[in-house]
Amino acid sequence: MAKNLNSVSFTILLLVLLMASTEILESDAACFTFLGECGPEPFTGSNADCLACCVALYKSPPVCAGRVEGNPAHCHCYKS
């Protein structure tokens, strides 16, 4: 039982190190600061349309994500 627990702990540690070294943890996790809204309300497009709207309005370096959220749906822009 202890050998299995050690194997699982070691595997999880390796997985976390792999994720940290490839910046998987930072890719979406770092993109959480609300920048503003974009487009009409209700927003009828997809997340990709929302991102395109955000990039057009706020430019590409600060914008890292555009997500359709809420009810009625509207486009939220996020920066790192």
Side-chain angles (χ1 to χ4, degrees):
M1 178 81 173
K3 185 176 182 180
N4 288 342
L5 187 59
N6 284 339
S7 296
V8 169
S9 298
F10 184 71
T11 304
I12 290 173
L13 178 64
L14 285 178
L15 181 63
V16 169
L17 288 173
L18 175 70
M19 290 174 67
S21 67
T22 58
E23 298 182 4
I24 292 174
L25 295 175
E26 295 182 12
S27 60
D28 285 331
C31 189
F32 59 85
T33 305
F34 181 71
L35 185 60
E37 293 187 358
C38 188
E41 191 175 321
F43 192 82
T44 56
S46 65
N47 283 338
D49 297 330
C50 179
L51 178 60
C53 180
C54 292
V55 168
L57 184 63
Y58 297 108
K59 305 298 177 233
S60 185
V63 174
C64 60
R67 298 184 193 109
V68 179
E69 302 171 325
N71 189 9
H74 48 280
C75 175
H76 281 170
C77 305
Y78 294 92
K79 64 179 181 176
S80 318

